[in-house]
Amino acid sequence: MAAKRRAGIGMLGYGNIGREVFAYYRDPRTNARVVRIARRRYNRPAPAAVKKLLVRRAQQVIDDPATEIVVELTGNAEQGAAYMLASLERGKHVVTANKEALATRWREIMAAANRSGASIGFGATAGGGMPVVRAMQRHASTDEVESFAGILNGTCNFILTKMKQYVVRHMDDPQIQRRSLPLEDALSQAQKLGYAEPDPTNDINGFDTKYKLAILSNLAFGAALDPAAIYCEGIWDDDRRILASDFYFLHHPRYLDGKYELRLVGVAERRGGRPALRVHPALIAASGPLADLAGVTENYNGSVINGRRLGTQFIKGLGAGPKPTTISIASDVREIAAGVLRGDGGPPAPPTTRGPAPADVRKVRTKGYIRSVSPDIKGIYAKKLEILARHKVNVQSVVNVKEFLYGRDRFMPDYIEIDPAPDGAVRDVLKAFGRLRGVRDAMYFRVLEL
Ligand SMILES: NC(=O)c1ccc[n+]([C@@H]2O[C@H](COP(=O)([O-])OP(=O)(O)OC[C@H]3O[C@@H](n4cnc5c(N)ncnc54)[C@H](OP(=O)(O)O)[C@@H]3O)[C@@H](O)[C@H]2O)c1
């Protein structure tokens, strides 16, 4: 009996993910097989089975008549987008894991797919092994997505989990400050375990989350949002970062006693028919409607989607790593390959509507805690309170975390609890704090509510 035909995959990239994808398709039971591979450094050592399929240029893979589905795994935003466009224009289906390319060139890529009728699978661009892209596609086609929030970066979640664990383990140690884990050290641990890229900038500054949020929001709201316009704070930006004292304040029984978990989130909500999007570290209540999200630890991803009729859905899964990412790629390939083999192509690409313009996030009201670190200078708190009053931000309480003193000037973190206030006003307060002599690391921890 003749072997069943399998659809032809042309691979662009043979790195961490590419190697795992190639290994996956060595299984003859799959409905696709790899027919061509391009990588940047053509002459690098590779197994004979790979060498046999290697070509020098991506275009050769795209042009090869045996390539029916292009699997784009280069990780290069500009070139990756160009390869996707070239493939779709030639009528070749595309499966990609390249979130930056897809988020920044969404309209062009979807327009090319719609013109040629080719499919585009991008489940691996957000959530990796957590099927949030699929869930969002389903909800958007049958229900109205009101809001969603996601922990979409496993590296940051791992770092925050480790920093908390150190503080909780040594909570009553008088040397707590020395026993805690600074962000830099937590990041090195993540790198050693292979959870963080050698250059982790896009993870820790929130950009990776921002691209994923843009892609999910485009699906949820039928939009084509510009990621550059999304308000974004990471866990470590130029002039502020998460500190060990934050976890002490959040978890010590003397202070907030574990009421909230600190996570980096991407949040989207419909406000007057328009999507309001933001990325920032947030406090998620450990009990209550978002408790499942608060419980997402280590390098896991999680997301909560609120649909008008569906109510609340929670999904959790491994967001990165070669194996979970390959499963996501393979499920897109499987669906498209089934269509190719039936002769009717794969599922249609999302429409290319411009969609509603984004809402002004400065108007979104949140409550939370403003943290800043100040030297032991008389009158410094009065100045901070004056700034808050000037911006009409109401204060509930002020707490000094005396267990964390830094340097000879006895810098100390304080946490100011505020009533719900517009985001813009709080951001103006942070800027004004930054201008006070000696005050640094001003950061706002918004309580997440959906
Ligand atoms: N790693 C993860 O856990 C993860 C999770 C989800 C999504 N992703 C996404 O998956 C994609 C691949 O990630 P990765 O970790 O596999 O990256 P990687 O290890 O850096 O591999 C990239 C591969 O692409 C090749 N390449 C780069 N530019 C090329 C070009 N212009 N033409 C042909 N080949 C080119 C490289 O060639 P050489 O081998 O010759 O250098 C390499 O084989 C990225 O978009 C990433 O964001 C990764």
Side-chain angles (χ1 to χ4, degrees):
M1 202 173 75
K4 268 197 184 156
R5 184 171 108 71
R6 295 158 78 201
I9 295 175
M11 275 178 55
L12 305 181
Y14 184 72
N16 289 321
I17 306 296
R19 273 191 288 277
E20 194 64 37
V21 169
F22 182 79
Y24 183 91
Y25 284 102
R26 301 206 72 178
D27 183 342
R29 290 168 301 180
T30 54
N31 68 350
R33 68 197 171 95
V34 177
V35 294
R36 278 285 167 266
I37 306 172
R39 73 188 294 186
R40 202 170 22 186
R41 290 163 297 175
Y42 171 79
N43 288 321
R44 282 199 94 190
V50 174
K51 280 264 173 210
K52 205 165 72 182
L53 305 177
L54 265 183
V55 289
R56 277 185 191 278
R57 291 181 306 110
Q59 195 63 42
Q60 289 170 272
V61 171
I62 299 167
D63 290 341
D64 193 314
T67 299
E68 291 163 295
I69 305 168
V70 174
V71 175
E72 190 279 316
L73 302 170
T74 65
N76 181 310
E78 222 155 280
Q79 289 174 339
Y83 299 151
M84 284 191 243
L85 288 167
S87 306
L88 293 166
E89 269 149 23
R90 268 184 137 275
K92 308 254 166 142
H93 306 286
V94 168
V95 172
T96 185
N98 196 332
K99 57 223 115 179
E100 185 174 353
L102 191 68
T104 52
R105 309 280 291 275
W106 176 271
R107 261 173 76 80
E108 271 173 274
I109 292 172
M110 294 312 161
N114 282 313
R115 264 197 310 274
S116 69
S119 292
I120 173 149
F122 51 92
T125 57
M130 169 181 72
V132 65
V133 168
R134 292 244 159 185
M136 203 60 91
Q137 279 168 323
R138 239 183 95 223
H139 293 322
S141 63
T142 49
D143 195 7
E144 258 167 73
V145 177
E146 294 293 352
S147 60
F148 66 92
I151 295 170
L152 300 170
N153 186 280
T155 308
C156 289
N157 213 45
F158 177 84
I159 290 171
L160 298 175
T161 303
K162 288 297 141 195
M163 287 178 79
K164 173 195 161 180
Q165 283 172 355
Y166 267 67
V167 162
V168 169
R169 209 177 301 144
H170 303 290
M171 194 85 96
D172 294 314
D173 190 325
Q175 297 294 314
I176 179 66
Q177 196 177 340
R178 274 202 269 142
R179 298 249 180 262
S180 55
L181 183 73
L183 181 47
E184 307 75 308
D185 296 357
L187 174 59
S188 316
Q189 281 193 16
Q191 282 169 320
K192 271 194 211 113
L193 288 166
Y195 296 151
E197 306 280 327
D199 177 2
T201 313
N202 275 0
D203 291 323
I204 59 175
N205 70 8
F207 276 43
D208 176 82
T209 299
K210 183 171 75 166
Y211 297 134
K212 293 168 177 171
L213 181 68
I215 292 169
L216 294 175
S217 302
N218 287 343
L219 294 173
F221 306 115
L225 296 151
D226 175 8
I230 296 178
Y231 181 72
C232 179
E233 287 173 21
I235 63 167
W236 185 353
D237 296 323
D238 297 337
D239 55 350
R240 60 183 165 209
R241 70 177 76 174
I242 302 291
L243 303 173
S245 62
D246 300 336
F247 295 96
Y248 193 80
F249 172 67
L250 289 172
H251 295 286
H252 198 287
R254 204 168 22 251
Y255 303 117
L256 294 193
D257 198 14
K259 187 174 175 197
Y260 300 110
E261 296 291 345
L262 179 59
R263 305 272 178 254
L264 180 73
V265 292
V267 189
E269 50 199 329
R270 223 183 263 273
R271 286 175 61 85
R274 293 166 167 231
L277 312 185
R278 50 200 165 97
V279 173
H280 52 70
L283 303 180
I284 311 180
S287 61
L290 296 174
D292 288 329
L293 196 62
V296 176
T297 58
E298 303 285 340
N299 57 330
Y300 276 87
N301 280 199
S303 54
V304 166
I305 306 173
N306 286 324
R308 198 149 81 90
R309 300 168 192 82
L310 189 84
T312 301
Q313 185 190 30
F314 170 67
I315 324 171
K316 176 183 165 182
L318 280 172
K323 285 196 162 61
T325 306
T326 293
I327 292 308
S328 176
I329 291 164
S331 70
D332 283 342
V333 168
R334 191 184 152 75
E335 193 177 4
I336 295 171
V340 167
L341 297 173
R342 279 195 312 266
D344 57 7
T352 358
T353 44
R354 210 177 271 283
D360 183 1
V361 187
R362 284 181 66 88
K363 293 191 180 139
V364 173
R365 294 172 76 85
T366 54
K367 64 176 183 181
Y369 296 82
I370 297 175
R371 178 260 281 146
S372 56
V373 179
S374 324
D376 194 5
I377 299 175
K378 236 179 133 194
I380 199 93
Y381 296 109
K383 282 193 184 137
K384 287 186 185 175
L385 294 176
E386 199 183 290
I387 290 171
L388 284 152
R390 203 181 326 130
H391 289 90
K392 300 191 172 58
V393 176
N394 273 342
V395 172
Q396 277 284 330
S397 62
V398 184
V399 169
N400 282 317
V401 175
K402 297 192 184 72
E403 294 82 353
F404 282 76
L405 279 179
Y406 298 94
R408 251 193 293 147
D409 287 332
R410 297 172 65 78
F411 277 93
M412 199 196 299
D414 64 73
Y415 296 80
I416 302 177
E417 183 186 6
I418 60 162
D419 284 339
D423 215 70
V426 183
R427 280 189 244 161
D428 292 341
V429 165
L430 296 185
K431 272 196 217 130
F433 276 18
R435 286 193 292 268
L436 289 176
R437 197 161 64 86
V439 174
R440 53 183 173 79
D441 275 304
M443 204 162 178
Y444 178 39
F445 299 117
R446 299 158 178 85
V447 172
L448 182 66
E449 281 167 342
L450 276 186

